[in-house]
Amino acid sequence: MKVGFIGLGSMGMGAALSALRAGLTVYGVDLSPAALERLEQAGAAGVGQDASAFAGDLDAVVLLVVNAAQCRDALFGANGIAPLLKPGTPVMVSATISPDDARRFDEDLRAAGLKMLDAPVSGGAAKAETGEMTIMAAGPQDVFDTLEPLLDAIAAKVYNIGETIGLGATVKIVHQLLAGVHIAAGAEAMALASRAGIPLDLMYDVVTNAAGNSWMFENRMKGVVEGDYTPMSAVDIFVKDMGLVTETGRSLKFPLPLASTAYAMYLNASNAGYGKEADSAVIKTFAGIDLPKKSGG
Amino acid sequence: MKVGFIGLGSMGMGAALSALRAGLTVYGVDLSPAALERLEQAGAAGVGQDASAFAGDLDAVVLLVVNAAQCRDALFGANGIAPLLKPGTPVMVSATISPDDARRFDEDLRAAGLKMLDAPVSGGAAKAETGEMTIMAAGPQDVFDTLEPLLDAIAAKVYNIGETIGLGATVKIVHQLLAGVHIAAGAEAMALASRAGIPLDLMYDVVTNAAGNSWMFENRMKGVVEGDYTPMSAVDIFVKDMGLVTETGRSLKFPLPLASTAYAMYLNASNAGYGKEADSAVIKTFAGIDLPKKSGG
C-alpha cells in the first residue's frame, strides 16, 4: 500500500514513521526541507514540497495539516494533489476542522472522483510516534475497509462513527471542548493556588492524586510548575480549536457557556503575546501572581 | 486511641469503619438512627445523637459534616462537643469550608483549650470505605504527630501543607474548582454531542480513551449515558462548593471566569428542581436535547 502523508508536523511525521515501521510504502509532502529530509532518511519512497512526482502512484492520502484552509490548499490549490490522484483514491482528512468544512470537502472530493474519510485524530505527538493515535472516523464502509492496513499502522483505536461525513469532525470538536476547557481550568486553579500562597508543586501533587484530575491538568500543568512553556501544542492551536467549538455551537444553535469562556481566555492570551507559547501559557493572563520560573532560565 | 466521628454520611461512615478495622476505639455521632445502628453493629464503643455520653473519654475528634454551619453547631451549638472534651484534644475539621471559616474555628477551638487540624478530604465514598481517602492538612506538627494512627487508618495519602490553618481549606477549594468545572464541562460536552446526533455511549468511549478525559468525566458522565441520576454527590453539594470557590476568589480579589460560569450552571440546575439529583443532572438545564433514559425506568 502506497500512502502519501501531507503535513509532516509532530502528528503527521509520527503517523508517517509508524506507517513505515509497519511496512507500508510512504511518501511525504511538507514545506519544511528538514521534515522532508528526516522522513526520507527514515526510508520514505519519495518526498517533496508538493506531490506532483508521486501522486499518481498513491493508493491513499492522509491529510494532517493544521486547519481547513491548509486542507483546501493541499487538495485543490495551485499545486493541489486532488487532480493528480487515481480515480477512487481515498483521502483521509485528519485535520481538526468544522463539520461544515468536512461536508464541503466531501462534496468537492466526490466531484473530483475521489473518496473521503472524515477522520480526526487525538493522542498527541507521543502517541503518533508510537503508532497509537486515536482516530474518530466517519465515512463509507468500503473506505474503512480499503484503509484498514493504514489505520492499523498508525492507530491504537479506531472509532467507526458511521457513514455520515461530518460526524468524525463533530466528535473531535466535542473532544476539543473538553481538552480546551480542562487546560484553561487547570490554569485558573493553579493561578488561584498561587494567589493563595499554596506551593504549586504541592497543588499539582494533590490534584493528580485526587478526583480533580484531568489528562490535560496532569500533562500541561507540569510545565507551569516547572516554569516551562515550550510549546508541544500552542495557545494559538486552542484559539483555532475553541473557535471551531463555538462555531459548531452557533451552527447547532446551542449554548456553550464554559467553552465560550475558555475561548475568551485563549483569545486574550494570544493578544497578550503568548500565542506561540505552550497552551498552558493561558495562565500568564492572570495578573497579580508570581509564577514559577524555569530553573537556570 | 479513642476517636469520635461526628457526621456519619458516606464519607464519615467510611472513615469510621476504616478506623474500626485498624483497631482504633470508635465512637459515632449523627442525627440518623440508621447510621448510628450501622456503626454500632460494626463494633463502635458508643454512638449517639450527641456526644455527651463519651466526649470526655475521646483522644481525638473527626468532623465530617457537610458545611461550616454544621461544624459550628457540632462544636459550639446547644449540644456541641467542644466544652466536653479534655483540654488539648485535637479536632480534625474535615468538612469542605472556606479558609476564613477554618481560621475562625481555629481561634474558637484555641479559646476552648483545644487544637485544630485543618484537614479536608477527597476521594469519594468508595475511597473512604477502603480507608484510602486523600487528606490535605494544615496545622501544628504536634497535632499531625498525635493523629498519626488515625490518619494512617483512614487515608492512603496525607499532604502536610504546613502550620498555617486555612491552607488545607484553600487546597481543597482549588481542588473543588477543578472537580466542579470538570463535571459541568462534561455535561456541556455531552449535551453538545446529543444536539449534534452523536450517540452518547460512543462519545463517552472516545473521551475516556483520549486526552479530553477527566476523573470526573469518567466517573459522572457514565450516569448520563445510562440515564441514571441517583446521587452519590448531589447538585446542591456543588452549589455549596462552587459558592465557596467564588467566595475565596472574592476574598483574594481574584477573577475565576470558568468557576463563576460553572457556579451559575449549578445554581440554575438547583433552581430548576435538580438540587437533590446527582451533580451530573446539571446537564438537564440544556434545553433542546433528548438525553438517555434509564432502562426500565
Side-chain angles (χ1 to χ4, degrees):
Chain A
M1 190 175 198
K2 296 178 177 173
V3 185
F5 289 84
I6 305 185
L8 297 173
S10 59
M11 299 298 287
M13 179 66 80
L17 294 172
S18 299
L20 270 175
R21 276 200 311 278
L24 305 186
T25 303
V26 169
Y27 297 79
V29 177
D30 201 283
L31 291 180
S32 153
L36 296 177
E37 193 184 332
R38 184 175 168 206
L39 189 63
E40 190 163 38
Q41 289 186 349
V47 297
Q49 292 191 323
D50 65 58
S52 51
F54 45 77
D57 296 329
L58 297 176
D59 301 313
V61 172
V62 179
L63 263 178
L64 265 164
V65 294
V66 168
N67 56 29
Q70 288 188 10
C71 286
R72 180 152 296 281
D73 194 52
L75 291 170
F76 304 110
N79 298 304
I81 198 172
L84 311 174
L85 294 169
K86 287 179 291 196
T89 304
V91 176
M92 188 173 146
V93 179
S94 294
T96 298
I97 60 177
S98 74
D100 289 342
D101 275 324
R103 286 184 281 268
R104 275 191 284 269
F105 286 133
D106 183 50
E107 279 171 31
D108 295 343
L109 285 167
R110 279 193 285 124
L114 303 168
K115 294 179 174 180
M116 170 163 164
L117 195 69
D118 164 27
V121 300
S122 172
K127 294 283 188 187
E129 274 203 37
T130 55
E132 296 176 305
M133 298 193 305
T134 297
I135 302 183
M136 38 211 100
Q141 188 56 47
D142 69 288
V143 176
F144 275 99
D145 296 342
T146 306
L147 292 177
E148 198 175 336
L150 170 64
L151 296 170
D152 286 351
I154 65 177
K157 181 95 186 170
V158 178
Y159 291 95
N160 182 335
I161 306 167
E163 303 244 330
T164 309
I165 295 287
L167 289 183
T170 305
V171 167
K172 170 72 175 183
I173 278 168
V174 173
H175 178 273
Q176 290 310 92
L177 183 163
L178 289 162
V181 169
H182 291 170
I183 295 169
E188 181 171 309
M190 291 297 253
L192 177 62
S194 175
R195 179 73 166 187
I198 309 291
L200 294 196
D201 52 352
L202 183 139
M203 197 66 235
Y204 179 85
D205 198 18
V206 169
V207 169
T208 52
N209 281 287
N213 199 21
S214 70
W215 194 100
M216 280 296 182
F217 184 94
E218 188 157 348
N219 189 267
R220 300 303 215 271
M221 292 305 119
K222 188 95 184 132
V224 170
V225 171
E226 294 168 352
D228 185 355
Y229 296 90
T230 309
M232 284 294 281
S233 177
V235 164
D236 279 346
I237 295 289
F238 273 100
V239 168
K240 172 182 80 72
D241 284 6
M242 297 308 276
L244 288 174
V245 170
T246 54
E247 179 187 329
T248 302
R250 203 162 49 240
S251 165
L252 291 167
K253 193 186 168 221
F254 204 72
L256 301 173
L258 289 167
S260 304
T261 303
Y263 182 37
M265 294 165 74
Y266 289 112
L267 285 171
N268 195 38
S270 186
N271 288 339
Y274 307 125
K276 306 299 177 213
E277 295 190 26
D279 43 32
S280 55
V282 69
I283 197 173
K284 295 186 181 179
T285 58
F286 286 93
I289 55 173
D290 286 317
L291 292 168
K293 299 275 186 291
K294 196 169 177 176
S295 47
Chain B
M1 188 174 198
K2 296 178 177 174
V3 184
F5 288 84
I6 304 185
L8 297 172
S10 59
M11 298 298 287
M13 180 66 80
L17 295 172
S18 298
L20 271 174
R21 275 200 311 278
L24 305 186
T25 303
V26 167
Y27 298 80
V29 177
D30 200 285
L31 291 180
S32 153
L36 296 177
E37 193 184 333
R38 184 176 169 202
L39 189 64
E40 190 164 37
Q41 289 187 347
V47 299
Q49 291 191 325
D50 65 57
S52 51
F54 45 77
D57 297 328
L58 297 176
D59 301 313
V61 172
V62 179
L63 263 179
L64 265 164
V65 293
V66 167
N67 56 29
Q70 289 188 8
C71 286
R72 179 152 296 283
D73 193 52
L75 291 171
F76 305 110
N79 299 305
I81 197 171
L84 311 174
L85 295 169
K86 287 180 291 196
T89 303
V91 177
M92 188 172 146
V93 180
S94 293
T96 298
I97 59 176
S98 74
D100 288 343
D101 275 324
R103 285 185 282 267
R104 276 191 283 269
F105 286 132
D106 183 51
E107 280 171 29
D108 295 344
L109 286 168
R110 278 193 286 123
L114 303 168
K115 294 179 173 181
M116 171 164 164
L117 195 69
D118 164 26
V121 300
S122 171
K127 295 282 188 186
E129 273 204 37
T130 54
E132 297 177 305
M133 298 194 303
T134 296
I135 301 184
M136 40 210 100
Q141 187 57 47
D142 69 289
V143 177
F144 276 98
D145 295 341
T146 307
L147 292 176
E148 196 175 337
L150 170 63
L151 296 171
D152 285 351
I154 65 177
K157 182 95 188 173
V158 178
Y159 291 96
N160 183 333
I161 307 168
E163 304 244 330
T164 309
I165 294 286
L167 290 183
T170 305
V171 166
K172 170 72 176 181
I173 277 168
V174 173
H175 178 272
Q176 290 311 92
L177 182 162
L178 289 162
V181 170
H182 291 171
I183 294 168
E188 181 171 309
M190 292 297 253
L192 177 62
S194 175
R195 179 73 166 186
I198 308 290
L200 295 195
D201 53 352
L202 182 140
M203 197 67 233
Y204 179 85
D205 198 18
V206 170
V207 169
T208 52
N209 281 286
N213 199 21
S214 70
W215 194 100
M216 281 295 182
F217 184 95
E218 188 159 348
N219 189 266
R220 300 302 214 273
M221 292 306 118
K222 186 99 184 129
V224 170
V225 171
E226 293 167 353
D228 185 355
Y229 297 90
T230 309
M232 285 294 282
S233 177
V235 164
D236 279 347
I237 296 288
F238 273 101
V239 168
K240 172 182 81 70
D241 284 6
M242 297 309 276
L244 289 175
V245 170
T246 53
E247 180 188 329
T248 303
R250 204 162 47 242
S251 165
L252 291 167
K253 193 187 168 217
F254 203 72
L256 301 172
L258 289 167
S260 305
T261 302
Y263 182 37
M265 292 165 75
Y266 289 111
L267 284 172
N268 195 39
S270 187
N271 288 340
Y274 308 124
K276 307 300 178 211
E277 296 190 28
D279 44 32
S280 55
V282 69
I283 196 173
K284 294 186 181 180
T285 58
F286 286 94
I289 55 173
D290 287 316
L291 292 169
K293 300 275 186 290
K294 196 170 177 176
S295 46

